[in-house]
């Protein structure tokens, strides 16, 4: 199935908040297995530099002091059959802060993510018509995606200061849809991902390690979206560009919604991928927010540089 | 008790809270000295506490305990590394408040005088960190 050099790789862009409790922080992406791949191992690295925040009036507030986050991560994915693949992401979170008088370093294991996808349609699948084997050139790739984030990192309940935060401290689940359509075979693909992320209530009995009267906090419902265009330069190189963002409803404390605490942000991702072999992928990426008033609300704006090294196990037998 | 007059000048950043404690029917005045221009990071947090029985003569309160808690209402989080204000001179209390990001912050201040909490749980000062 060498025709399947389609090299599907879209990113399941999910956001996790680490360095600032409220707002989007680290980003990871989990590579997706195309039909001719059995498994992947990914070593990734992210460097996320905080530029400022949008306030509740959507006004951009630049910060001059540097705070940043580095996230080396290991991820893997396995294809069980033609319809189902699952993955895991294990990040390590390293925070730096240059504000005078405050702790400047912290690190820890981040929140572990399990994800999966049921693939309902694949592109270019074969079918029989009146005894002839034909290729379906119309149907797009379509999958239902789901995931769960486990609070394995250290949250603001246990951490001693902001730089010690490596996780959210609560479970989240996600459910979404993923489409890919080839516009020009072996040249141009477009794709889209949408997902709904639900967070579970966290009860705080401590805050930064100090006892407090217990209270419950829950993040709002979050809706993530992205549209990606992928251009294959040749068999060894491709570039992609994606626009994405999220909207999150008001968070609540002790069951009461806090008005005007909804969040949103908009971002762009550009990436390049080099395939020295069919089973190796090297992909640097840059993700940035537009640091201007009106492009976000109650969220941090960052510029992120990333690098992913992926090793694939290819399918030895047809699925 | 020391009694002396003081000037009250209200400009941008000046904040004063006046409230009646129903238990002892004393009127309390909390005046913010710093931060007037709060920044992202650690800020010196300095206030003066006065009391009056008759709104004619005022005295400094020098036996109070203060517990501050910064909170970012629109993001639903607070901050670490704050230092509760302690008495440094007559009626003056100094501590540190940490504003971890730009935007509006509340600093809740719980004040205890003579083993009695004289503030309500919703007593706070408002800051816009830049
Ligand atoms: Cu915040």
């Amino acid at each position: 199935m060498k025709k399947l050099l389609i090299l599907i790789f879209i990113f399941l862009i999910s956001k996790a908040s680490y360095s600032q409790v409220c707002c989007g922080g680290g980003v990871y992406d989990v590579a997706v297995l195309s039909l001719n791949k059995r498994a992947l191992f990914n070593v990734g690295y992210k460097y996320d530099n905080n530029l400022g925040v949008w306030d509740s009036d959507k006004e951009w507030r630049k910060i001059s002091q540097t705070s940043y986050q580095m996230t080396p991560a290991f991820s893997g994915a396995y294809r069980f059959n033609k319809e189902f693949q699952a993955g895991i992401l294990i990040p390590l979170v390293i925070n730096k802060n240059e504000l005078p008088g405050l702790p400047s370093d912290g690190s820890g294991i981040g929140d572990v993510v399990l994800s999966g996808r049921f693939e309902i349609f694949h592109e270019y699948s074969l079918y029989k018509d009146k005894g002839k084997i034909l290729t379906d050139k119309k149907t797009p790739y379509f999958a239902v995606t789901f995931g769960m984030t486990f609070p394995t990192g250290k949250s603001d309940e246990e951490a001693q200061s902001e730089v010690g935060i490596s996780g959210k401290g609560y479970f989240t689940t996600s459910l979404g849809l993923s489409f890919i359509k080839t516009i020009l075979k072996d040249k141009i693909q477009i794709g889209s991902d949408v997902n709904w992320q639900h967070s579970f209530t966290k009860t705080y009995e401590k805050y930064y390690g100090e006892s407090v009267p217990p209270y419950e906090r829950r993040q709002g419902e979050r809706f993530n979206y992205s549209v990606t265009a992928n251009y294959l330069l040749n068999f060894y190189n491709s570039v992609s560009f994606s626009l994405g963002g999220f909207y999150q409803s008001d968070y609540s404390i002790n069951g009461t919604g806090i008005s005007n605490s909804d969040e949103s942000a908009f971002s762009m991702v550009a990436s390049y991928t080099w395939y020295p072999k069919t089973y190796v992928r090297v992909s640097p990426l840059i993700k940035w927010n537009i640091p201007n008033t009106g492009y976000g609300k109650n969220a941090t704006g960052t510029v992120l540089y990333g690098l992913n090294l992926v090793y694939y196990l290819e399918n030895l037998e047809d699925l | 008790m020391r009694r002396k007059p003081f000037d009250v000048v209200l400009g941008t950043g000046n904040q004063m809270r006046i409230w009646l404690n129903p238990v002892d029917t004393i009127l309390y005045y909390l005046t913010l000295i710093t931060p007037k221009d709060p920044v992202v990071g650690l800020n010196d947090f300095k206030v003066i506490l006065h009391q009056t029985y008759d709104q004619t003569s005022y005295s400094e309160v020098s036996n109070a305990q203060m517990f501050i808690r910064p909170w970012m209402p629109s993001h639903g989080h607070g901050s670490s590394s704050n230092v509760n204000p302690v008495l440094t001179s007559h009626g003056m209390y100094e501590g540190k408040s940490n504003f971890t990001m730009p935007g509006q912050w509340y600093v809740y201040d719980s004040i205890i005088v003579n083993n009695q909490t004289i503030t309500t749980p919703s007593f706070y000062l408002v800051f816009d960190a830049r």
Side-chain angles (χ1 to χ4, degrees):
Chain A
M1 287 270 92
K2 283 289 172 191
K3 275 182 195 169
L4 280 172
L5 263 174
I6 303 164
L7 302 166
I8 294 166
F9 69 99
I10 51 147
F11 299 117
L12 234 184
I13 297 174
S14 301
K15 297 196 163 200
S17 313
Y18 298 129
S19 64
Q20 307 291 6
V21 191
C22 62
C23 319
V27 177
Y28 52 83
D29 26 272
V30 176
V32 175
L33 292 163
S34 60
L35 212 41
N36 62 337
K37 302 283 194 283
R38 172 62 76 181
L40 68 80
F41 304 95
N42 181 5
V43 178
Y45 179 82
K46 306 270 178 291
Y47 173 91
D48 200 6
N49 191 4
N50 192 1
L51 304 175
V53 302
W54 289 277
D55 66 15
S56 54
D57 296 322
K58 299 191 173 185
E59 190 195 327
W60 173 250
R61 307 283 199 95
K62 190 182 182 304
I63 53 166
S64 41
Q65 303 87 346
T66 312
S67 75
Y68 51 95
Q69 183 171 67
M70 288 164 289
T71 317
F74 169 80
S75 62
Y78 184 81
R79 173 177 287 287
F80 292 87
N81 53 44
K82 202 181 165 195
E83 286 82 32
F84 178 59
Q85 56 176 288
I88 184 169
L89 175 104
I90 305 166
L92 178 70
V93 177
I94 302 164
N95 295 311
K96 301 270 183 195
N97 188 351
E98 292 178 0
L99 290 169
L102 291 166
S104 58
D105 299 86
S107 63
I109 194 101
D111 289 343
V112 170
V113 184
L114 292 184
S115 61
R117 47 176 64 209
F118 274 114
E119 296 166 315
I120 295 163
F121 301 121
H122 287 278
E123 287 196 287
Y124 299 106
S125 51
L126 301 176
Y127 66 102
K128 261 187 189 169
D129 185 42
K130 293 168 189 165
K132 282 192 280 187
I133 294 173
L134 299 169
T135 305
D136 176 1
K137 292 173 184 169
K138 288 204 182 98
T139 308
Y141 172 91
F142 175 62
V144 175
T145 61
F146 47 89
M148 185 152 195
T149 305
F150 297 82
T152 46
K154 198 183 255 191
S155 74
D156 50 346
E157 184 170 25
E158 299 287 343
Q160 294 303 306
S161 76
E162 281 74 10
V163 288
I165 296 174
S166 64
K168 290 182 168 192
Y170 47 84
F171 288 90
T172 64
T173 53
S174 76
L175 184 64
L177 302 173
S178 178
F179 297 90
I180 302 170
K181 178 80 184 110
T182 297
I183 302 298
L184 197 59
K185 189 139 191 286
D186 297 334
K187 263 310 171 205
I188 302 170
Q189 297 170 317
I190 55 163
S192 178
D193 279 274
V194 291
N195 75 71
W196 161 56
Q197 194 180 316
H198 174 76
S199 295
F200 290 85
T201 301
K202 174 171 174 59
T203 302
Y204 284 85
E205 286 171 356
K206 286 188 278 183
Y207 199 57
Y208 289 113
E210 285 180 32
S211 294
V212 291
Y215 65 95
E216 289 183 340
R217 180 180 188 268
R218 190 170 72 77
Q219 183 182 295
E221 302 301 330
R222 185 173 176 120
F223 177 71
N224 297 298
Y225 59 90
S226 69
V227 179
T228 304
N230 186 19
Y231 182 73
L232 306 174
L233 301 166
N234 52 44
F235 281 158
Y236 304 103
N237 301 276
S238 75
V239 288
S240 88
F241 185 74
S242 120
L243 298 174
F246 74 92
Y247 171 78
Q248 183 181 300
S249 62
D250 289 341
Y251 74 87
S252 57
I253 285 189
N254 291 330
T256 308
I258 305 300
S259 66
N260 215 18
S261 65
D262 56 309
E263 296 180 14
S264 64
F266 178 74
S267 61
M268 296 177 285
V269 182
S271 69
Y272 162 77
T273 304
W274 176 45
Y275 310 87
K277 303 271 185 231
T278 57
Y279 53 88
V280 175
R281 189 190 103 186
V282 179
S283 184
L285 69 93
I286 176 168
K287 170 185 172 285
W288 71 102
N289 296 108
I290 302 168
N292 282 317
T293 293
Y295 288 92
K297 181 178 179 182
N298 288 332
T300 49
T302 69
V303 58
L304 178 149
Y305 306 93
L307 180 66
N308 284 300
L309 308 173
V310 194
Y311 179 81
Y312 292 96
L313 295 180
E314 304 195 288
N315 267 326
L316 301 176
E317 78 279 11
D318 267 347
L319 286 161
Chain B
M1 226 181 270
R2 290 170 57 96
R3 283 157 194 257
K4 65 179 181 188
F6 65 97
D7 291 331
V8 178
V9 182
L10 286 178
T12 49
N14 280 75
Q15 293 191 61
M16 182 184 267
R17 291 284 182 280
I18 305 166
W19 73 100
L20 185 75
N21 181 20
V23 180
D24 53 14
T25 64
I26 296 174
L27 202 59
Y28 285 93
Y29 284 65
L30 184 78
T31 312
L32 176 76
I33 308 300
T34 61
K36 291 260 164 58
D37 297 303
V39 296
V40 172
L42 272 190
N43 291 264
D44 287 327
F45 184 86
K46 209 183 282 187
V47 289
I48 305 184
L49 185 64
H50 287 90
Q51 61 179 199
T52 180
Y53 295 90
D54 52 13
Q55 295 189 62
T56 310
S57 59
Y58 297 82
S59 58
E60 295 143 355
V61 182
S62 294
N63 62 340
Q65 282 177 285
M66 292 191 186
F67 302 93
I68 57 167
R69 183 172 63 90
W71 190 253
M72 200 168 193
S74 60
H75 296 166
H77 65 80
S79 62
S80 72
S81 317
N82 297 288
V83 179
N84 288 318
V86 292
L87 187 76
T88 53
S89 61
H90 308 290
M92 175 91 78
Y93 295 81
E94 290 184 41
K96 288 196 189 293
S97 59
N98 180 11
F99 302 138
T100 59
M101 60 177 75
Q104 192 190 62
W105 287 80
Y106 292 175
V107 175
Y108 288 91
D109 192 357
S110 167
I111 305 174
I112 297 172
V113 177
N114 298 329
N115 295 321
Q116 190 191 107
T117 305
I118 61 165
T119 48
T120 65
S122 59
F123 181 85
Y124 58 81
L125 299 166
V126 185
F127 298 90
D128 189 11
R130 297 206 167 250

